[in-house]
Amino acid sequence: MELRQLQYFTVLAEELHFSRAAQRLHISQPPLSVAIKQLEAQLDAQLFERSSKEVRLTPAGTHLLAQARDILERARRAALDTRAVAHGMAGCLRLGFVGSSMYRGLPEALAQLQLLHPQVRVDLHELNSAEQVSALQQGKLDLALLHTMVVPDGLRARTLLREPFMACLPTLHALARQARVAVSDLSQERMVLFAESVSPEYFRSIRTLCQRAGFDPELRHEVRHWLSVLSLVSGGQGVSIVPACLQRVGMPGLAFRPLRQSAAHSELQAIWRPVPAHPLIDTLLQLLQERIAAVAAADAAPAPASD
């Protein structure tokens, strides 16, 4: 059976008149008659009783009508759903992310995506940068949000954000009284950093930053999550150097200070496989860049004057 045959059959079953059914289908009557005869031959069943005065459904025709309507409706829905997925209006996006992206506009971008395209589902996977690249290469992720790293062949990348590193200190630390902190001021401090195995690019960036200031960082703790870094610093277990976005976490007991005379920065990068193309990637990246710009503008706005 073909969908065309089922469509012809359904219209004729509703009209019970060949001429009116042909007009409704925008065809002449002979092709309609031929299509119905072919369908009956394929099913080895008479679907209509025909006479010079009327056309009636047979019991077999009545049985087929309900199923034909269901098949045609499912075909219509499949076409609409497929078109929606192809144009990024529906479907699923498997998104990997590093924890710091939660403070760089990702939740707001996801909320906006859900508002604009309620049929879209985003599956979130919190992974470190190396894990995300591996998952992309294995086809387990569609898009990765990670810290700057060398992009393997076959993947595309876009830098979403460059922001400065800041010193992260317990609020009662002596350096917290300064407006800015020199990296060299941290030379005698115990450091809380991401484990090198978890985020090698971040680890190397901080080590290089310290070495340029004349010392190797004394590592007290190496952890896997940004909240662990902040919690340990807040608890007086050391100091850290972190991306500026983490001051938005709002955890008590922490002071964030800009680094004096340092051009070091942290980058958030989007990486994806260009083939097969995924229409939701461009949509989410556009929303994310808009949110990042909005957050940056809010951070740059002067504080309201006090009375």
Side-chain angles (χ1 to χ4, degrees), residues 211-248:
Q211 288 174 340
R212 288 175 178 170
F215 69 99
D216 278 314
E218 180 186 351
L219 301 182
R220 181 163 188 172
H221 300 291
E222 295 183 68
V223 297
R224 294 183 58 87
H225 299 285
W226 283 117
L227 288 181
S228 299
V229 172
L230 300 185
S231 295
L232 288 169
V233 173
S234 176
Q237 295 300 303
V239 303
S240 190
I241 297 176
V242 302
C245 66
L246 292 183
Q247 61 188 317
R248 304 187 195 106

Side-chain angles (χ1 to χ4, degrees), residues 1-281:
M1 289 187 295
E2 300 176 2
L3 290 178
R4 177 184 59 84
Q5 291 174 316
L6 292 179
Q7 183 186 20
Y8 286 6
F9 162 77
T10 300
V11 172
L12 180 58
E14 292 170 351
E15 296 292 343
L16 294 177
H17 192 283
F18 274 88
S19 179
R20 289 198 302 269
Q23 290 177 359
R24 183 172 155 189
L25 291 165
H26 304 290
I27 61 174
S28 61
Q29 186 171 327
L32 175 59
S33 299
V34 170
I36 297 300
K37 289 179 180 178
Q38 289 175 341
L39 181 59
E40 289 177 323
Q42 291 172 7
L43 297 175
D44 192 22
Q46 183 178 353
L47 302 175
F48 296 96
E49 292 180 355
R50 307 165 179 82
S51 70
S52 58
K53 295 183 179 180
E54 63 180 351
V55 176
R56 291 188 300 173
L57 280 169
T58 65
T62 301
H63 174 78
L64 178 61
L65 179 59
Q67 297 191 52
R69 284 170 171 162
D70 181 61
I71 291 170
L72 290 171
E73 175 60 19
R74 281 188 287 152
R76 185 188 71 83
R77 289 180 182 174
L80 290 175
D81 291 347
T82 301
R83 190 176 300 114
V85 170
H87 290 84
M89 306 293 289
C92 176
L93 179 70
R94 299 166 299 172
L95 176 65
F97 67 98
V98 290
S100 61
S101 60
M102 285 296 176
Y103 309 105
R104 288 162 159 159
L106 178 58
E108 296 83 357
L110 291 174
Q112 185 68 14
L113 180 67
Q114 189 65 40
L115 183 65
L116 294 174
H117 306 303
Q119 297 182 70
V120 167
R121 187 179 86 248
V122 179
D123 292 340
L124 295 172
H125 304 270
E126 184 175 4
L127 301 167
N128 65 50
S129 298
E131 289 170 339
Q132 289 190 64
V133 170
S134 177
L136 272 177
Q137 293 173 321
Q138 296 175 42
K140 296 178 180 179
L141 288 179
D142 301 307
L143 177 63
L145 302 178
L146 42 75
H147 296 298
T148 304
M149 63 184 304
V150 177
V151 180
D153 292 340
L155 299 179
R156 286 188 180 172
R158 181 187 303 176
T159 299
L160 300 176
L161 174 67
R162 299 174 81 250
E163 63 181 348
F165 282 114
M166 301 186 76
C168 178
L169 311 161
T171 51
L172 298 180
H173 195 286
L175 292 174
R177 294 194 292 269
Q178 300 181 186
R180 292 179 175 270
V181 173
V183 176
S184 58
D185 292 339
L186 305 177
S187 61
Q188 303 302 312
E189 303 291 337
R190 293 180 177 180
M191 305 284 285
V192 181
L193 299 177
F194 259 82
E196 185 174 10
S197 60
V198 173
S199 185
E201 291 294 325
Y202 166 76
F203 187 89
R204 283 196 291 270
S205 295
I206 301 306
R207 172 169 282 175
T208 299
L209 187 62
C210 293
Q211 288 174 340
R212 288 175 178 170
F215 69 99
D216 278 314
E218 180 186 351
L219 301 182
R220 181 163 188 172
H221 300 291
E222 295 183 68
V223 297
R224 294 183 58 87
H225 299 285
W226 283 117
L227 288 181
S228 299
V229 172
L230 300 185
S231 295
L232 288 169
V233 173
S234 176
Q237 295 300 303
V239 303
S240 190
I241 297 176
V242 302
C245 66
L246 292 183
Q247 61 188 317
R248 304 187 195 106
V249 174
M251 184 178 293
L254 293 175
F256 295 88
R257 297 294 181 264
L259 295 175
R260 188 182 302 127
Q261 296 178 339
S262 173
H265 61 269
S266 173
E267 290 188 1
L268 180 67
Q269 200 170 39
I271 298 180
W272 67 95
R273 288 174 291 116
V275 179
H278 197 303
L280 288 171
I281 289 176

